[in-house]
Amino acid sequence: HVNTDFDFVSIDVEGTNTEVIKSINWDLLPKCKLICIEHEEKEQVYIDYLKQFGFSGYHRTSVNLLMSR
């Protein structure tokens, strides 16, 4: 049994954030309400991709993108 009871996920994997985000089955993390991603100037890619999983609100800092659902 894998625990999927996360409400917050932080992703910072030095240059492979896009691959990591796309490898996660976000439907299996229904309780996840907030994601923090080191955006590497690709924030629109992440916003567009994560919309399909119900993430909509976002806040951008100089380094991170925070998205909520």
Side-chain angles (χ1 to χ4, degrees):
H1 174 72
V2 176
N3 184 355
T4 59
D5 197 21
F6 302 105
D7 57 4
F8 174 73
V9 172
S10 179
I11 300 173
D12 179 358
V13 285
E14 304 310 321
T16 59
N17 292 337
T18 303
E19 292 83 1
V20 170
I21 288 167
K22 290 183 176 183
S23 73
I24 295 171
N25 185 343
W26 294 101
D27 291 327
L28 295 178
L29 298 173
K31 294 183 179 183
C32 181
K33 301 294 180 206
L34 184 65
I35 303 172
C36 178
I37 309 161
E38 183 182 37
H39 59 68
E40 302 166 331
E41 303 297 323
K42 299 177 187 174
E43 59 268 18
Q44 196 60 52
V45 171
Y46 303 142
I47 291 167
D48 292 344
Y49 180 75
L50 290 166
K51 268 199 235 181
Q52 68 184 307
F53 300 104
F55 291 92
S56 59
Y58 65 90
H59 175 76
R60 181 189 189 277
T61 70
S62 61
V63 177
N64 293 311
L65 175 70
L66 292 119
M67 294 194 66
S68 63
R69 68 174 166 189

